[in-house]
């Protein structure tokens, strides 16, 4: 077992000899005759477990040496005991205020020195052990958070891909809209209005939750979901329920799981709950329009969560610029013009402005992530229930 190391700082040889005699049988002892020499030893790599420091020394006294040592944060964990012939309460109070852990008075009493050093080394070992455990716990929490985030993202991906597969989608719609959402959210975050609302954590949460926006389509019958022609009014009304179906499914299934599972720590729980609420906001409200003419609840303006307002634009933009069984893909600029013309009707004008500022980035996504030969089938409705 490694012996604890003691550094003695004292300008008088007789004191160094007395302290060495008391401690060398039990500990590895290093000694020096000045504060400057001790500081140089520390900087050269010496890592003592405890320091015995004389107060009355020429040049740098004990207080100045203590201040010099504590000037480097990496040395603050070393317990320092003053060795002094002074017996003033003022001197003791000053030392304790500066961070010493104890006093040893001269003349040196070997037994007393040995016991005091032993106590403070045991205390240091207890603190070091606790710090090691805390660091391990912090790393373990980080590891588990990282694993859980991967599991969460993989689960969301699987679910969203299943939804799109059922709807004869390639999955590229999800990839593109996810990127559009992130691009627009990051641009909005630069404005004074959304600087605090759309911080980095919120942007990542919204981006990840966006892949679930159409999960409710799982509850729509194939006769409606897969119909290659214009839907009848009653079929359209049924299609509109996918928002409520999806929100209820997330709240019921995932919400119940995250509230009862022991997989997540108390520290992680708020993050999971925030993600679920964001997912529900997007799923439920991504067909709500700025002017209040959307569905399922007909809410308008700022009552629509910002994540859903961003999602709506991303979703419709992708629908316009993608080929469907009932239409050709619109040219990029035509789709942009349509978005602009519907600012303040379908879309939040500020979201449209953010989209326009990032128009080139969105165009790059569009031309980079292409559909396969199967194509897409996505329904986009105007106020009267017709396909656009």
């Amino acid at each position: 077992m490694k012996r604890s190391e003691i550094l003695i700082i004292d300008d008088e040889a007789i004191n160094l000899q007395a302290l060495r005699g008391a401690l060398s049988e039990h500990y590895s002892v290093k000694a020096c005759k000045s504060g400057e020499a001790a500081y140089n030893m520390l900087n050269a790599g010496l890592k003592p477990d405890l320091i015995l420091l004389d107060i009355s020394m020429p040049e740098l006294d004990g207080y100045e040496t203590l201040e010099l040592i504590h000037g480097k944060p990496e040395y603050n964990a070393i317990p320092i005991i003053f060795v002094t012939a002074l017996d003033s309460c003022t001197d003791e109070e000053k030392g304790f205020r500066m961070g010493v852990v104890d006093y040893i008075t001269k003349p040196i009493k070997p037994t007393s020195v040995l016991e005091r050093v032993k106590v403070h080394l045991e205390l240091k070992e207890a603190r070091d052990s606790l710090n090691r455990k805390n660091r391990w716990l912090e790393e373990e929490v980080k590891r588990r958070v990282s694993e859980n985030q991967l599991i969460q993202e993989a689960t969301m991906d699987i679910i969203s891909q299943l939804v799109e597969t059922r709807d004869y989608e390639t999955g590229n719609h999800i990839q593109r809209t996810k990127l559009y959402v992130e691009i627009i959210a990051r641009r909005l975050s630069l404005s004074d209005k959304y600087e605090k609302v759309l911080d980095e954590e919120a942007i990542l949460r919204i981006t990840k939750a966006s892949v679930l926006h159409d999960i409710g389509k799982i509850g729509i019958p194939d006769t409606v979901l897969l119909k290659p022609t214009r839907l009848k009014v009653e079929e359209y009304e049924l299609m509109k329920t996918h928002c409520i179906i999806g929100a209820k499914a997330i709240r019921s299934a995932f919400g119940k799981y995250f509230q009862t599972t022991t997989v997540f720590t108390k520290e992680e729980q708020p993050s999971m709950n925030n993600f679920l609420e964001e997912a529900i906001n997007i799923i439920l409200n991504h067909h709500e329009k700025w002017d209040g003419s959307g569905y399922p609840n007909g809410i308008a303006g700022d009552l629509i969560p910002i994540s859903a307002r961003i999602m709506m634009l991303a979703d419709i933009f992708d629908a316009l610029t993608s080929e469907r069984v009932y239409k050709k893909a619109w040219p990029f600029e035509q789709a942009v013009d349509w978005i602009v013309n519907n600012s303040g009707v379908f879309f939040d004008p500020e979201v449209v402005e953010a989209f326009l500022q990032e128009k080139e980035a969105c165009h790059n996504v569009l031309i980079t992530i292409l559909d396969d030969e199967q194509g897409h089938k996505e329904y986009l409705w105007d106020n009267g229930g017709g396909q656009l």
Side-chain angles (χ1 to χ4, degrees):
M1 184 177 176
K2 183 179 177 293
R3 300 176 96 196
S4 296
E5 192 163 58
I6 311 295
L7 174 62
I8 304 170
I9 309 170
D10 198 309
D11 64 310
E12 295 185 10
I14 189 169
N15 291 329
L16 290 176
Q17 185 177 357
L19 290 168
R20 277 184 181 276
L23 299 170
S24 58
E25 183 180 345
H26 305 280
Y27 307 107
S28 175
V29 178
K30 295 282 192 302
C32 58
K33 292 187 175 183
S34 72
E36 185 178 3
Y39 188 69
N40 290 336
M41 290 172 71
L42 293 173
N43 285 338
L46 180 67
K47 296 180 179 179
D49 297 290
L50 184 141
I51 295 174
L52 296 176
L53 174 60
D54 184 29
I55 292 181
S56 301
M57 294 187 296
E59 297 179 2
L60 294 178
D61 64 17
Y63 297 115
E64 293 168 326
T65 301
L66 177 64
E67 192 171 14
L68 184 65
I69 292 172
H70 280 178
K72 284 199 169 183
E74 59 265 37
Y75 303 150
N76 286 344
I78 305 172
I80 298 178
I81 298 176
F82 267 164
V83 181
T84 180
L86 304 174
D87 59 1
S88 165
C89 290
T90 303
D91 293 319
E92 285 193 16
E93 289 173 2
K94 180 179 179 181
F96 284 129
R97 282 198 307 272
M98 293 180 68
V100 299
V101 297
D102 205 349
Y103 272 80
I104 292 175
T105 56
K106 300 177 182 178
I108 302 300
K109 300 180 182 64
T111 302
S112 176
V113 170
L114 195 60
E115 287 302 315
R116 286 176 182 269
V117 167
K118 179 182 176 182
V119 166
H120 287 290
L121 285 174
E122 288 175 349
L123 287 172
K124 181 179 183 297
E125 175 54 32
R127 285 195 300 271
D128 289 348
S129 177
L130 182 61
N131 287 335
R132 286 192 295 272
K133 289 178 181 177
N134 285 338
R135 284 195 296 272
W136 180 86
L137 286 172
E138 287 173 2
E139 290 303 315
E140 183 66 10
V141 167
K142 287 180 183 177
R143 184 187 67 80
R144 288 183 59 181
V145 168
S146 179
E147 285 183 356
N148 290 332
Q149 285 176 340
L150 288 174
I151 292 169
Q152 175 191 343
E153 289 177 21
T155 303
M156 299 306 106
D157 244 10
I158 290 167
I159 293 171
S160 59
Q161 293 294 339
L162 285 173
V163 174
E164 299 302 336
T165 300
R166 181 169 178 261
D167 198 14
Y168 296 141
E169 296 269 354
T170 64
N172 290 343
H173 168 69
I174 287 175
Q175 295 178 44
R176 286 192 298 267
T177 54
K178 181 180 179 181
L179 290 172
Y180 295 147
V181 164
E182 182 175 7
I183 290 168
I184 295 169
R186 289 197 180 282
R187 171 55 63 174
L188 274 175
S189 72
L190 301 178
S191 68
D192 292 339
K193 181 176 179 179
Y194 292 108
E195 180 182 9
K196 294 180 179 179
V197 176
L198 293 174
D199 58 16
E200 184 63 21
E201 182 181 347
I203 291 171
L204 293 177
R205 186 171 63 243
I206 291 168
T207 303
K208 286 194 288 185
S210 70
V211 303
L212 296 174
H213 66 280
D214 273 341
I215 188 176
K217 287 184 178 178
I218 275 185
I220 303 300
D222 288 352
T223 53
V224 174
L225 186 66
L226 307 181
K227 187 175 181 180
T229 57
R230 189 183 303 274
L231 296 182
K232 297 176 181 178
V233 173
E234 61 271 20
E235 291 172 329
Y236 171 53
E237 291 302 318
L238 184 58
M239 176 65 84
K240 290 197 300 185
T241 63
H242 79 274
C243 299
I244 295 174
I245 291 171
K248 284 184 176 179
I250 291 291
R251 190 177 295 280
S252 174
F254 287 93
K256 186 183 298 182
Y257 173 73
F258 287 131
Q259 288 169 10
T260 60
T261 183
T262 57
V263 172
F264 302 102
T265 65
K266 288 182 179 178
E267 289 76 13
E268 296 171 75
Q269 197 73 27
S271 176
M272 300 306 304
N273 288 337
N274 289 341
F275 172 79
L276 290 172
E277 289 304 317
E278 201 70 79
I280 290 168
N281 281 341
I282 290 172
I283 295 165
L284 184 64
N285 299 297
H286 73 283
H287 284 288
E288 297 288 3
K289 297 175 185 175
W290 184 252
D291 66 357
S293 64
Y295 64 85
N297 296 310
I299 58 177
D302 287 332
L303 291 178
I304 307 169
I306 183 60
S307 55
R309 284 178 259 156
I310 296 170
M311 184 72 242
M312 186 191 198
L313 190 148
D315 194 27
I316 292 182
F317 174 71
D318 192 66
L320 292 172
T321 53
S322 300
E323 186 172 348
R324 300 295 190 254
V325 293
Y326 56 84
K327 76 170 186 69
K328 295 291 185 182
W330 286 20
F332 175 74
E333 289 298 340
Q334 183 183 351
V336 171
D337 289 343
W338 191 91
I339 295 288
V340 171
N341 290 337
N342 282 279
S343 177
V345 183
F346 276 53
F347 311 113
D348 176 351
E350 289 178 291
V351 174
V352 173
E353 181 59 31
F355 166 72
L356 292 175
Q357 290 174 326
E358 295 292 345
K359 186 172 69 168
E360 293 308 315
C362 291
H363 184 252
N364 188 55
V365 170
L366 176 64
I367 63 176
T368 302
I369 304 177
L370 303 174
D371 297 333
D372 60 21
E373 293 180 358
Q374 234 183 341
H376 283 265
K377 178 180 177 299
E378 177 84 5
Y379 289 101
L380 180 65
W381 302 98
D382 62 17
N383 293 348
Q387 280 177 234
L388 292 177

